[in-house]
Amino acid sequence: MEPFTSLTATAVPFDEVNVDTDQIIPSRLMRKPREDANYHTFLFHDLRYNEDGSEKPDFILNQAPYRDARILVAGHNFGCGSSREVAVFALMANGFRAVIASSFGDIFFGNCFNNGVLPIRVTEETAARLRADLHASPGASMTIELEPQTLTGADGTEYQFDVDPFRKHCLLEGLDAIGLTLEYENEIEAFEDRYRQERSWLYP
Amino acid sequence: MAQPRTMFDKIWESHVIVDRDDGQTLLYVDRHLCHDGSFFAFDMLRDTGLPVRRPDQTFTVPDHYVPTRGHELDDAVDEERREMIVKLDRNAKQFDLTIFGLGDKRQGIVHVVGPEQGITQPGMLMVCGDSHTSTHGALGAIAFGIGASEVSHVLATQSIWQRKPKTMRITLTGARPFGVLAKDVILAIIARIGAGAALGHAVEYAGPIFAAMSAEERLTVCNMSIEAGARCGMIAPDETTFAYVKGRPYAPAGEAWQKAVAYWKTLPSDPGATFDKEVGIAADDIAPMVTWGTSPEDALPITGQVPDPADEADAARRAAKEKAIDYMGLVPGMKLTDIRIDKAFIGSCTNGRIEDLRIAAAVVKGRRVAVPAMVVPGSGLVKEQAEKEGLDRVFTDAGFEWLESGCSMCVGMNGDTIDPGERSASTSNRNFVGRQGPGARTHLMSPAMAAAAALSGRLCDVRELSLAPSEGD
């Protein structure tokens, strides 16, 4: 996993609420290999493209100031619905490394961390203000520093954010969870031995 | 005396392998279910070079990509979908996992198969790379959906890192009104609390209405917990649960059964256990429900009208409603019963079980469909049982297609979709934009309501239909 330490990049305001992972990547594209040369076009595919493949000019990612955006600032319950991790793959294929929202679908939230994408929960007011500032200066950059847990909005205001210390550690170091868990092999084995005794009916 | 504990806490605590100071917990996974969409996870596992740690605790079944018109590999609509099914077969073989493959009558939707086979049991911690894994909590388990990286982690380590979620109890008071099914109950709950209301929470459904529900009804309720954002949904195991689990192929038997039940009886939340959040809902107000919009929270009693966004004070919510109504091709203020449909779909992990088919068949019997309609049993065994009872004839005589088991039109991944602009009455769980195909318009409802809609060609109140004489008699 690619470590995440800091990021300064164009941020795009995404005002919709309850954006489900079916919107982020339609289910018919889930079977495509990640190596697909068009993977980047899968992100928000049906919102972003007409049937003939031409761009929908109204869609915000198709607008000039936001084409190289790498930070997405969304409304509440972003990434709800399906557990599809390809939603994160599609964001990454477009260069996104951070998503900011007042709340996230739980599974999507975890999927982000597991791929080196930083999801940041802020208050509803902060999310609204960040988006308003971005709308006011289209194409503006934001800066995210993971170690001190700060983000700087388009207007230069600095905000503090919370992040799970374990997740933070993994992101900073680029650690994958399996490697880390294997360090607990003895604990897992001890648990299994005891558990098999206690719950014999689970092991016919 | 020991502190009273919730059912969630009891099951959680008994699965803790490691509790880290930073709030992360490594939990043991009793049973892991994989399906034909899990191929990314198997590829990730191969990259690590590790084996599956507990093949005996891992079960696989193809469901998302399986064809429903014919159940041979060659019935898959194209080479890519065929390959998805083949890949699961190959992965199951390589890692020595149990598979209920195509051609095996135990094949079906993973969340139907788990409980049906007795793989799902009270007190378990279960995961699957699918958000509707919340279904299994209906039998008194902690069950939740995970992403592909986590699936590979569970395959390799039989464990998963989690932060302990908060707890929420949703208590339904009063009596369940006539004609109200489990689907109506959960749609009404989501409409009341909102699609993000249970984010970060483990939900327990409590009160006499859930206690009086059958195990299958409870599965329907818990299935849609994720549509309120919940980490998982659960209902206390009781005699109904035990009777449901008993005798199933993977359920404990003999002495082991006695031991298991003795333990399962200790699981319900203790009197006085406290929840981080309590929600009380009066059941008396619940009626047969339908969704009008593009989020499961957009549900209303069938007697209602399409809402007017102008009534919404909050600007973001107003915009969301306007967008949803526009996508759905509706007009604010129109009666829900005036909405005409193009197709009806009965099936899915929400409503593809035998009781669902019985209820739908009871509505359909002796009548004719007004629009194309299909029934997709949740598993081969559900299909077999339905055919034993003659339900297939009831449906086919009425003009329904009677198909093979799979996820089908709930998510359209196998090619069962509806055309752009078309409108469905669907017993599935998500009315998201494009869920049943690009431009598709989905109205969620119970199997009885979907059957009624199929017969009348519009959304209608099944309570009226069941009293009226059959059309065409």
Side-chain angles (χ1 to χ4, degrees):
Chain A
M1 192 173 84
E2 198 186 327
F4 186 110
T5 48
S6 70
L7 175 66
T8 297
T10 306
V12 57
F14 211 79
D15 294 330
E16 281 78 2
V17 298
N18 292 332
V19 174
D20 56 74
T21 53
D22 277 74
Q23 304 316 300
I24 300 176
I25 179 169
S27 61
R28 66 180 184 282
L29 299 171
M30 288 169 68
R31 61 180 185 269
K32 302 289 181 189
R34 221 178 154 179
E35 297 73 35
D36 193 303
N38 291 319
Y39 213 92
H40 62 286
T41 67
F42 298 171
L43 180 68
F44 296 117
H45 185 277
D46 293 350
L47 297 169
R48 200 165 155 201
Y49 301 102
N50 293 305
E51 242 176 290
D52 61 7
S54 61
E55 289 184 353
K56 295 181 179 179
D58 289 349
F59 188 67
I60 195 154
L61 289 184
N62 291 333
Q63 294 168 8
Y66 303 111
R67 284 191 178 274
D68 58 352
R70 303 188 65 196
I71 299 170
L72 194 137
V73 187
H76 72 80
N77 202 18
F78 186 82
C80 62
S82 157
S83 62
R84 59 189 71 171
E85 194 155 311
V86 289
V88 182
F89 297 172
L91 282 163
M92 292 170 79
N94 286 266
F96 284 97
R97 288 299 303 278
V99 186
I100 301 167
S102 56
S103 59
F104 293 90
D106 282 350
I107 308 174
F108 174 82
F109 191 70
N111 289 343
C112 284
F113 282 114
N114 287 328
N115 286 280
V117 172
L118 174 62
I120 301 175
R121 270 196 210 108
V122 295
T123 63
E124 190 103 31
E125 296 71 42
T126 301
R129 186 170 159 201
L130 290 172
R131 290 196 305 273
D133 290 342
L134 291 170
H135 282 299
S137 43
S141 284
M142 286 177 60
T143 293
I144 297 166
E145 297 280 354
L146 181 53
E147 184 51 55
Q149 299 175 211
T150 57
L151 67 90
T152 310
D155 67 344
T157 309
E158 193 175 281
Y159 304 82
Q160 206 64 41
F161 64 85
D162 285 332
V163 61
D164 182 293
F166 176 84
R167 299 293 203 175
K168 177 180 175 179
H169 172 69
C170 290
L171 276 182
L172 286 171
E173 305 292 329
L175 296 177
D176 82 283
I178 293 179
L180 211 140
T181 305
L182 291 177
E183 292 173 19
Y184 292 100
E185 175 58 28
N186 290 342
E187 283 83 352
I188 298 174
E189 230 165 80
F191 180 95
E192 276 187 329
D193 287 345
R194 182 176 54 77
Y195 196 72
R196 288 178 85 93
Q197 301 289 322
E198 284 175 15
R199 306 235 172 138
S200 52
W201 65 87
L202 292 176
Y203 301 91
Chain B
M1 231 184 84
Q3 189 80 7
R5 291 189 300 165
T6 65
M7 169 167 56
F8 177 80
D9 284 339
K10 292 180 194 181
I11 301 175
W12 173 281
E13 284 163 18
S14 73
H15 288 85
V16 173
I17 303 168
V18 177
D19 249 334
R20 282 170 57 112
D21 294 340
D22 58 19
Q24 283 284 337
T25 304
L26 188 64
L27 295 166
Y28 194 66
V29 175
D30 289 307
R31 298 291 183 261
H32 183 199
L33 308 175
C34 296
H35 54 82
D36 46 1
S38 307
F39 61 94
F40 279 113
F42 283 105
D43 289 345
M44 292 173 186
L45 180 69
R46 255 186 296 274
D47 287 345
T48 68
L50 294 164
V52 173
R53 184 184 173 87
R54 304 284 342 172
D56 56 330
Q57 291 169 228
T58 312
F59 295 83
T60 68
V61 58
D63 55 5
H64 286 72
Y65 291 100
V66 299
T68 50
R69 291 178 175 81
H71 227 193
E72 304 285 332
L73 204 47
D74 289 338
D75 293 317
V77 296
D78 60 26
E79 192 48 42
E80 272 187 0
R81 266 106 160 180
R82 189 179 189 278
E83 181 59 18
M84 295 294 106
I85 304 164
V86 171
K87 260 188 187 166
L88 180 66
D89 228 33
R90 227 182 278 143
N91 283 322
K93 271 202 192 79
Q94 182 187 341
F95 294 105
D96 196 24
L97 310 176
T98 301
I99 181 164
F100 308 117
L102 273 188
D104 185 328
K105 63 185 177 187
R106 296 171 298 175
Q107 180 275 338
I109 308 170
V110 63
H111 309 309
V112 174
V113 171
E116 185 173 78
Q117 287 299 316
I119 295 166
T120 309
Q121 295 167 27
M124 278 185 170
L125 191 141
M126 294 179 71
V127 295
C128 171
D130 187 275
S131 59
H132 290 107
T133 307
S134 59
T135 310
H136 306 263
L139 302 183
I142 294 179
F144 52 90
I146 56 178
S149 296
E150 291 171 315
V151 170
S152 70
H153 184 278
V154 177
L155 288 170
T157 68
Q158 203 58 33
S159 65
I160 187 159
W161 290 103
Q162 290 281 295
R163 260 190 107 75
K164 195 173 184 180
K166 292 181 173 156
T167 53
M168 177 190 290
R169 178 161 58 186
I170 298 178
T171 306
L172 216 50
T173 55
R176 173 145 65 130
F178 168 75
V180 167
L181 303 183
K183 183 66 160 288
D184 301 313
V185 169
I186 188 62
L187 282 174
I189 289 172
I190 298 164
R192 185 75 54 87
I193 67 176
L199 284 175
H201 285 77
V203 170
E204 180 176 339
Y205 301 95
I209 291 176
F210 297 113
M213 281 185 178
S214 71
E216 292 199 358
E217 288 184 293
R218 296 175 188 179
L219 290 164
T220 297
V221 170
C222 289
N223 172 272
M224 290 190 71
S225 303
I226 182 71
E227 311 313 336
R231 191 76 193 126
C232 62
M234 55 208 306
I235 293 175
D238 58 8
E239 293 303 327
T240 302
T241 316
F242 309 151
Y244 175 87
V245 175
K246 193 170 188 180
R248 294 186 181 270
Y250 289 90
E255 205 183 313
W257 172 260
Q258 302 302 333
K259 259 177 133 168
V261 171
Y263 168 66
W264 295 346
K265 285 183 173 168
T266 69
L267 291 173
S269 296
D270 300 326
T274 53
F275 292 76
D276 295 304
K277 211 165 168 182
E278 291 270 10
V279 176
I281 293 175
D284 310 78
D285 304 338
I286 301 177
M289 305 287 288
V290 295
T291 61
W292 53 266
T294 55
S295 164
E297 71 181 12
D298 300 335
L300 283 170
I302 182 65
T303 49
Q305 298 166 351
V306 176
D308 189 344
D311 297 339
E312 187 64 67
D314 178 72
R317 286 177 199 283
R318 185 163 61 242
K321 272 190 177 165
E322 278 168 1
K323 223 173 159 175
I325 288 171
D326 179 56
Y327 178 81
M328 293 298 290
L330 301 173
V331 181
M334 79 185 281
K335 286 167 67 176
L336 294 172
T337 48
D338 286 340
I339 297 174
R340 305 201 69 83
I341 62 156
D342 303 295
K343 285 205 173 108
F345 168 66
I346 296 174
S348 85
C349 58
T350 316
N351 283 124
R353 298 180 186 81
I354 189 67
E355 288 179 14
D356 299 313
L357 303 194
R358 286 182 191 137
I359 288 166
V363 173
V364 165
K365 198 173 171 83
R367 296 179 162 102
R368 286 289 302 174
V369 295
V371 294
M374 59 204 272
V375 182
V376 181
S379 74
L381 288 170
V382 170
K383 181 167 189 264
E384 185 182 69
Q385 179 60 32
E387 288 172 354
K388 257 188 213 155
E389 298 176 21
L391 304 184
D392 58 322
R393 289 297 304 274
V394 172
F395 287 117
T396 53
D397 286 352
F400 279 84
E401 276 189 285
W402 177 251
L403 302 175
E404 302 288 343
S405 60
C407 300
S408 183
M409 203 187 268
C410 172
V411 64
M413 286 164 69
N414 72 334
D416 291 344
T417 54
I418 61 175
D419 292 335
E422 276 196 335
R423 189 184 297 286
S424 75
S426 178
T427 66
S428 52
N429 39 52
R430 289 188 173 137
N431 50 351
F432 295 160
V433 169
R435 173 80 175 177
Q436 295 186 300
R441 294 160 168 165
T442 305
H443 296 275
L444 304 177
M445 62 197 75
S446 76
M449 288 285 285
L455 301 173
S456 60
R458 58 181 173 80
L459 305 189
C460 71
D461 192 335
V462 65
R463 294 170 300 186
E464 288 168 18
L465 191 80
S466 52
L467 298 173
S470 309
E471 283 170 37
D473 276 4

